[in-house]
Amino acid sequence: MVLNIKGTPALEVTRLTVDNAVDIAMKRSYRIKQIELGIARTRYWLKAERAGLKSKVFMNLRAPEFNAVSDYKWNSTLQIDEIIRQNTRRWQMDISVRQPVILLGYPTNGYLSLNNKIYRYYQKEDIEEDVDYYNRFFIKFEQPILRPNELKNDIENAELSVEREELDYIRDIVNLSNSISFDFYNLFGLVYRNTIYSHYVEDLENILKIAQTVALEDTTRKIEEIQANLELTNAREMQLKNFNRLRQRMQNMKLRLRMDVQDSILVKHDIVLNPIEIDANQALQYGYTMRPHLRLQYIEKRRREIRLNNAKGWDAFHLNLEMTLGLEKNEDRYQAIWEEYDNSYSVSINAYIPIWDWGRRKAWVGAEKVNVKRADLNIEENRNSLKSSIVNTITNLKDYQQRALNLKESVTMAQEICDMSIQQYKENRISLQGVLQVINRQRNTGINFLDAYLGYRRSLQQLKSLTYYDYETGESLLDRYRPES
């Protein structure tokens, strides 16, 4: 039976490694689930914007439109306004197939549509009645000129939104992975320290037994028993203090992984020290090209450039071209509107000419230009900061790596020397102070190795989060965590 840290039976035992700790956190993270839903939402937005490049079929109905009101109108014969009562009924149907105009895959912001307008118009005045039927088939072309291409900009904005959500998703996963990994290595450090202190206490217990035997044989050496007992008491206090910290850290880890507090955690980690050669220039290139934070800033810059492009069209000179060409028929009999059509066409060009706005448009455009410049400064600042962070992390990694490699062999040697010293003390060939110094050095060597190894792991984890490249597996984190389409 496995017991949890409080000594009560554990509901479930989890063998915790750095990899499955990250996996558990990802599966149970509300933040990751929120980002996944955000990706789905922006993909729907993009789908909606891209659907705007395809044909749209719609119908407008007036069924019916009654109008029985009086209003004044100008009578050119009498040269006066007179009150005229209108009594009309209209049943109208408009059907249109509308398609954006796309040249060489590029939307022009114009529209081409195929339309049909048909209505019945009934007028009644005093005792007279008049019924008209109207039918028209026509092609309509609409093209704004000298205006921002809003259709293209909206689609690009939607594409940038999808990319931004996907990068946020990857960034949050890597941040969560980084945070959980740091917590795991802190937890492992306490577990490893507990092992060091356990060996330390065991060695001191052996020394105390030897000192007690010596004191029985030679009462003048009673002080050695007292001193050994004092060292053992201090060692047990160190072990207990570390155990309390381990208990608190385990509880925090359970909370982070959303585990039941009654569950038990068994920390599993094999110390592996494979020397890794880091090319600083390549690492910088990885950081510049793969780290989402910089790409997100480039996306923000592009969005500001789009807003600048749109701002240049606000209250600016522009033209709207509209042309129609078709067939029409107006008759007082319904059947007749489907026979012997007349040609119809129309051409109109509307121009908007700003004259004076007290510098309002210029100020709008100036504000958006400043926003673009600010985005450039943010990118430059973050590139410089990223460069410094990567260079410092590589330096720390190399330092910790070399220290850990040097100390790894020293740990084994220190244990061998410690065992020999205890035997020598038993044989009265070394003093108590001498053997205590040896086991203290052995304990310190183990702790120093642990600190160097944890520094190596943390530096490697930090470099991975800065470059989005896993140097242990040779894999890009963008590829590993990219959301499925």
Side-chain angles (χ1 to χ4, degrees):
M1 180 176 68
V2 178
L3 301 181
N4 63 19
I5 202 75
K6 294 181 180 179
T8 57
L11 296 179
E12 184 178 347
V13 179
T14 301
R15 291 185 175 273
L16 199 66
T17 66
V18 64
D19 292 329
N20 69 6
V22 172
D23 290 340
I24 292 172
M26 287 182 184
K27 291 176 182 178
R28 301 179 182 180
S29 170
Y30 289 112
R31 172 62 180 170
I32 298 300
K33 293 177 182 178
Q34 288 281 358
I35 294 293
E36 288 174 347
L37 292 176
I39 292 174
R41 176 192 60 189
T42 52
R43 284 177 175 171
Y44 278 121
W45 285 346
L46 177 58
K47 184 178 180 181
E49 293 295 342
R50 286 176 174 170
L53 296 176
K54 300 177 182 179
S55 299
K56 179 182 178 182
V57 182
F58 60 92
M59 175 187 296
N60 290 323
L61 292 176
R62 296 182 184 180
E65 179 185 75
F66 293 165
N67 191 4
V69 295
S70 297
D71 200 359
Y72 65 88
K73 292 188 177 180
W74 177 254
N75 189 321
S76 59
T77 302
L78 301 177
Q79 294 292 303
I80 60 173
D81 287 334
E82 57 180 353
I83 302 298
I84 303 296
R85 178 170 178 78
Q86 294 180 329
N87 193 343
T88 63
R89 307 288 186 272
R90 179 197 292 264
W91 285 262
Q92 180 173 325
M93 178 180 69
D94 297 302
I95 299 178
S96 180
V97 180
R98 198 164 184 250
Q99 170 66 47
V101 178
I102 301 175
L103 297 177
L104 302 176
Y106 185 86
T108 67
N109 210 30
Y111 289 88
L112 186 66
S113 59
L114 179 62
N115 307 272
N116 172 236
K117 179 190 293 288
I118 182 170
Y119 63 77
R120 178 184 182 274
Y121 191 67
Y122 167 85
Q123 299 183 78
K124 182 177 181 181
E125 185 174 355
D126 296 333
I127 61 173
E128 296 182 0
E129 296 181 355
D130 182 31
V131 178
D132 288 315
Y133 294 92
Y134 179 79
N135 186 20
R136 186 187 183 201
F137 296 95
F138 62 98
I139 296 174
K140 183 177 182 181
F141 174 67
E142 305 165 85
Q143 179 63 58
I145 302 173
L146 302 177
R147 296 194 66 179
N149 193 330
E150 295 180 359
L151 180 58
K152 172 183 172 296
N153 289 344
D154 288 345
I155 292 175
E156 186 177 359
N157 253 326
E159 291 173 342
L160 292 174
S161 294
V162 170
E163 184 180 0
R164 183 180 60 186
E165 288 288 345
E166 291 179 348
L167 290 173
D168 277 337
Y169 171 78
I170 296 173
R171 183 175 63 175
D172 277 24
I173 284 182
V174 173
N175 287 343
L176 178 62
S177 172
N178 198 44
S179 177
I180 294 296
S181 296
F182 272 89
D183 286 348
F184 175 84
Y185 288 125
N186 288 335
L187 181 61
F188 168 74
L190 293 174
V191 172
Y192 193 90
R193 277 176 176 266
N194 198 59
T195 302
I196 293 174
Y197 291 139
S198 295
H199 286 308
Y200 183 49
V201 169
E202 184 180 346
D203 289 338
L204 287 174
E205 287 174 345
N206 291 333
I207 291 175
L208 177 60
K209 291 178 182 179
I210 297 172
Q212 289 172 341
T213 302
V214 170
L216 289 175
E217 297 175 354
D218 184 357
T219 56
T220 61
R221 298 177 65 181
K222 183 67 176 179
I223 191 172
E224 293 185 15
E225 178 186 352
I226 297 173
Q227 187 174 359
N229 191 40
L230 181 61
E231 290 290 336
L232 179 58
T233 301
N234 290 334
R236 286 172 175 168
E237 176 62 24
M238 295 170 62
Q239 184 183 31
L240 181 60
K241 183 178 180 180
N242 184 79
F243 184 78
N244 288 333
R245 292 176 60 194
L246 175 59
R247 177 183 56 82
Q248 294 174 1
R249 191 61 59 85
M250 279 192 172
Q251 291 300 105
N252 292 337
M253 180 63 81
K254 290 177 187 178
L255 292 175
R256 290 216 63 185
L257 300 182
R258 302 187 184 280
M259 298 171 61
D260 193 288
V261 292
Q262 296 298 325
D263 290 345
S264 178
I265 293 177
L266 298 179
V267 177
K268 177 69 174 176
H269 180 70
D270 296 327
I271 293 180
V272 178
L273 274 171
N274 295 323
I276 298 176
E277 294 295 331
I278 307 294
D279 186 332
N281 292 329
Q282 183 66 65
L284 287 173
Q285 195 61 29
Y286 285 151
Y288 292 153
T289 57
M290 293 198 297
R291 194 161 190 259
H293 187 68
L294 269 178
R295 177 56 190 157
L296 287 169
Q297 290 193 318
Y298 280 112
I299 289 176
E300 178 58 26
K301 177 187 175 182
R302 180 56 191 154
R303 291 168 69 92
R304 294 184 184 188
E305 288 173 344
I306 291 174
R307 286 200 297 267
L308 173 59
N309 180 256
N310 289 333
K312 291 179 178 178
W314 298 341
D315 208 25
F317 172 78
H318 62 268
L319 303 171
N320 286 321
L321 171 64
E322 182 177 309
M323 296 187 298
T324 66
L325 178 64
L327 302 171
E328 67 176 3
K329 189 67 174 181
N330 180 24
E331 287 288 346
D332 55 7
R333 292 182 306 107
Y334 178 75
Q335 292 80 2
I337 64 175
W338 305 97
E339 303 170 354
E340 298 179 1
Y341 290 98
D342 299 323
N343 294 326
S344 68
Y345 67 90
S346 66
V347 178
S348 67
I349 298 180
N350 298 322
Y352 176 80
I353 305 174
I355 298 176
W356 186 254
D357 65 353
W358 301 96
R360 185 185 184 190
R361 175 180 174 273
K362 185 177 180 180
W364 276 342
V365 174
E368 295 301 333
K369 285 182 178 179
V370 170
N371 272 338
V372 174
K373 291 180 180 179
R374 291 179 63 190
D376 283 328
L377 286 176
N378 287 336
I379 291 172
E380 182 179 353
E381 179 184 9
N382 278 275
R383 281 176 64 92
N384 291 334
S385 175
L386 179 61
K387 180 179 180 180
S388 299
S389 298
I390 289 176
V391 171
N392 289 336
T393 302
I394 292 175
T395 301
N396 292 336
L397 175 62
K398 291 180 178 179
D399 178 59
Y400 282 122
Q401 178 176 273
Q402 190 59 49
R403 285 177 56 196
L405 289 172
N406 294 338
L407 287 168
K408 185 177 182 181
E409 298 297 330
S410 300
V411 170
T412 304
M413 294 174 58
Q415 183 62 51
E416 293 175 354
I417 294 173
C418 181
D419 294 338
M420 293 172 57
S421 298
I422 294 176
Q423 183 62 32
Q424 289 176 351
Y425 175 65
K426 185 176 182 180
E427 297 171 354
N428 199 23
R429 291 189 294 154
I430 189 175
S431 67
L432 176 63
Q433 295 297 329
V435 72
L436 290 179
Q437 289 178 359
V438 170
I439 65 171
N440 283 333
R441 283 198 296 268
Q442 190 267 343
R443 180 201 64 193
N444 292 336
T445 301
I447 292 176
N448 289 338
F449 169 72
L450 174 64
D451 291 341
Y453 177 73
L454 291 180
Y456 162 77
R457 298 304 314 184
R458 293 186 185 113
S459 297
L460 193 58
Q461 191 72 31
Q462 181 69 16
L463 183 62
K464 182 163 66 173
S465 69
L466 290 172
T467 62
Y468 275 65
Y469 185 80
D470 191 336
Y471 284 91
E472 292 181 290
T473 62
E475 182 183 9
S476 165
L477 300 188
L478 292 180
D479 296 333
R480 178 186 299 176
Y481 297 124
R482 192 177 303 279
E484 297 180 359
S485 302

